[in-house]
Amino acid sequence: MAGVRQLHLQRGHDWDPVAQRHRVAATLQGVMPLTLQDLARMAVLVDRRNLSSLSVWTAILVGFFGLFRKDNLTEGKSAAWNSRTSLVRDDVIFTDDVETVWLRVRHSKTIQCGERCHWVPLKRVPGSLLCPVEALYELMLATAGQPGDSALFVTEKGTSKKVHLVPLGHTELVKGIKALAEAVGLNPADYAGHSLRRGGATAALRLDVHSVYIKLQGDWRTDCYERYCEMDPAQRLILPGIMAEAAAAL
């Protein structure tokens, strides 16, 4: 990008800061954030009777509400899966009333040497197809009998005569997101695994959730999480509105 900018300026063109160009900024970050409204339209299209579909959908909900990095949800290659660095069934703890689920992250971009665990809580959404707790509960039941140190999110492989479960890969998750995006009228090229983390952070910001809670849920170690949150026009007017009211009171 530095080279492109320099050549652009050398040829006498103006250069607007990337942050002021929404589409360019979004392209550089690779994805657009999914919204709660997007997920609501997708939810009715998911075949939860199919284990692979249920697993992808559960990963989408967990990624969105838990502000998860895609590397916590999937593996680049099934053969590279490692129970010490990935979410496993034993990392899922339901409360007795199944109103809350806690997910234990033992390895991530910010936890490289197992020096701590990051616990991510998710709350039940009663009677909703967007409930991450219900989806996780269904997935755990559908894969009952699998070892506690086996992959949490899985997909079915093989033939009708012999099917086996393998860890959900990046490719399968991204394909699932893009297919659902296209099915509800969105441009699939704009969405990928990172749409979940960005979408959840943006949704929280638009619900006026304090930034401290966003940072904690997503386990950001710095203030870089602010780049994931996109304000809508109404939010952009809050600060000037408050200042205008203060000025008017003088």
Side-chain angles (χ1 to χ4, degrees):
M1 280 302 296
V4 172
R5 178 180 181 275
Q6 187 62 31
L7 181 61
H8 194 84
L9 292 173
Q10 286 176 355
R11 298 201 173 189
H13 300 298
D14 294 329
W15 182 270
D16 295 325
V18 171
Q20 296 179 10
R21 292 175 284 160
H22 173 72
R23 296 294 300 186
V24 175
T27 299
L28 290 176
Q29 291 183 351
V31 294
M32 295 289 287
L34 284 167
T35 68
L36 281 168
Q37 291 74 20
D38 295 333
L39 293 179
R41 290 187 291 159
M42 293 176 178
V44 298
L45 304 176
V46 177
D47 181 6
R48 298 169 80 125
R49 297 168 299 179
N50 178 281
L51 179 57
S52 295
S53 296
L54 173 61
S55 187
V56 168
W57 179 242
T58 304
I60 288 173
L61 292 179
V62 169
F64 182 90
F65 286 99
L67 312 188
F68 274 96
R69 299 176 178 89
K70 65 179 183 299
D71 289 342
N72 291 130
L73 306 173
T74 61
E75 286 290 344
K77 296 181 180 179
S78 296
W81 186 81
N82 187 331
S83 63
R84 291 174 298 176
T85 60
S86 303
L87 283 173
V88 299
R89 292 172 60 84
D90 281 345
D91 291 325
V92 182
I93 309 296
F94 291 96
T95 57
D96 292 340
D97 57 5
V98 199
E99 288 295 317
T100 304
V101 64
W102 290 83
L103 293 168
R104 177 180 58 182
V105 179
R106 294 167 289 117
H107 183 275
S108 72
K109 182 179 179 180
T110 56
I111 308 173
Q112 293 290 318
C113 302
E115 64 276 16
R116 63 186 177 90
C117 289
H118 173 55
W119 288 92
V120 180
L122 301 174
K123 293 290 294 182
R124 176 179 289 280
V125 187
S128 173
L129 293 177
L130 298 183
C131 180
V133 177
E134 182 63 30
L136 267 173
Y137 193 78
E138 286 184 35
L139 181 62
M140 295 288 281
L141 285 179
T143 56
Q146 294 296 305
D149 61 353
S150 63
L152 175 58
F153 301 110
V154 295
T155 186
E156 293 179 314
K157 295 290 185 181
T159 64
S160 57
K161 294 183 178 179
K162 187 176 182 180
V163 176
H164 60 280
L165 302 181
V166 299
L168 180 66
H170 292 342
T171 300
E172 287 79 13
L173 177 61
V174 172
K175 282 182 177 179
I177 293 171
K178 289 182 179 295
L180 287 170
E182 185 173 23
V184 298
L186 300 173
N187 182 359
D190 290 339
Y191 298 88
H194 206 48
S195 296
L196 307 177
R197 186 167 168 84
R198 286 193 66 204
T202 297
L205 179 70
R206 292 179 178 176
L207 291 169
D208 293 329
V209 175
H210 195 288
S211 59
V212 169
Y213 298 117
I214 298 175
K215 186 175 181 180
L216 179 61
Q217 184 80 337
D219 197 29
W220 278 285
R221 306 299 289 172
T222 69
D223 291 337
C224 68
Y225 72 94
E226 293 175 354
R227 294 186 293 108
Y228 291 71
C229 303
E230 298 187 7
M231 289 191 180
D232 60 26
Q235 289 175 302
R236 294 297 303 274
L237 290 172
I238 292 175
L239 175 60
I242 293 174
M243 295 178 72
E245 289 177 3
L250 294 177

